[in-house]
Amino acid sequence: GLSDPNYVHSYFVDGPIAVSTTKQTPGHNYLVGSLGRGGKGVFGLEVKTPDTFANTDVLWERSTGANMGNVLGEPVVVKLNNGVNGVIVSNGINSTNGKAVLFVLNIATGAIIAEIDTLVGGDNGLSAPRAWDNDGNGTVDYVYAGDLKGNLWKFDLRGALPADWVVA
């Protein structure tokens, strides 16, 4: 037990979660969570009917790629300017590449819509993102997040095409 002097703590799925509302994602309630210190990755579940949750409600997992680390910051559910319901996730700490990277994922499928690399590495990682709707039209325009090197990043997601989304 915990009082054993030889006790070694093991982390499990201890990362933060975000849950969409049916207003954000009509007909669905998505839960996006991270593995936190328990592993590198994020996952998506359909939780509209939790009383009847089944294997088919496990939608996706994103745990591969050199930029994915231990995600410790809360994901942010957003409507993107390309019309897609998305989730913004920082790459966290301890990624293989050691860079600070922002992921924009499709909330229903987990597909990477954009992977925006700040190009600042050296044992770096991105912290919890915060989204801002600058023009008040219900879609995210900017995302802000800090990194382990003390930088505050602004990501510009105003364009209708993900290829136009960049570090501002």
Side-chain angles (χ1 to χ4, degrees):
L2 293 175
S3 62
D4 183 343
N6 296 319
Y7 172 76
V8 177
H9 181 73
S10 295
Y11 289 100
F12 296 97
V13 178
D14 68 348
I17 63 168
V19 180
S20 73
T21 65
T22 53
K23 183 178 179 184
Q24 290 173 305
T25 53
H28 299 278
N29 274 114
Y30 296 111
L31 180 147
V32 176
S34 77
L35 303 180
R37 289 172 187 83
K40 296 178 181 182
V42 292
F43 58 90
L45 309 173
E46 169 62 81
V47 294
K48 184 177 179 189
T49 55
D51 292 342
T52 59
F53 188 84
N55 288 342
T56 56
D57 293 318
V58 177
L59 302 176
W60 54 267
E61 179 182 3
R62 176 130 328 266
S63 59
T64 59
N67 287 324
M68 182 58 73
N70 298 91
V71 178
L72 305 178
E74 184 177 334
V76 180
V77 176
V78 296
K79 180 75 162 186
L80 300 165
N81 283 299
N82 65 353
V84 173
N85 291 315
V87 60
I88 308 289
V89 180
S90 64
N91 73 320
I93 61 173
N94 300 324
S95 68
T96 302
N97 281 346
K99 295 181 180 179
V101 178
L102 185 75
F103 288 99
V104 182
L105 306 175
N106 180 305
I107 197 167
T109 67
I112 296 175
I113 298 170
E115 188 170 345
I116 307 171
D117 190 339
T118 65
L119 303 178
V120 176
D123 199 25
N124 202 359
L126 207 60
S127 65
R130 292 294 173 251
W132 176 252
D133 176 8
N134 194 56
D135 57 13
N137 70 350
T139 61
V140 65
D141 295 309
Y142 298 105
V143 174
Y144 297 87
D147 70 13
L148 293 175
K149 302 292 183 183
N151 300 303
L152 176 61
W153 296 98
K154 178 181 179 182
F155 300 90
D156 185 345
L157 306 185
R158 292 176 297 166
L161 299 175
D164 296 333
W165 301 345
V166 295
V167 175

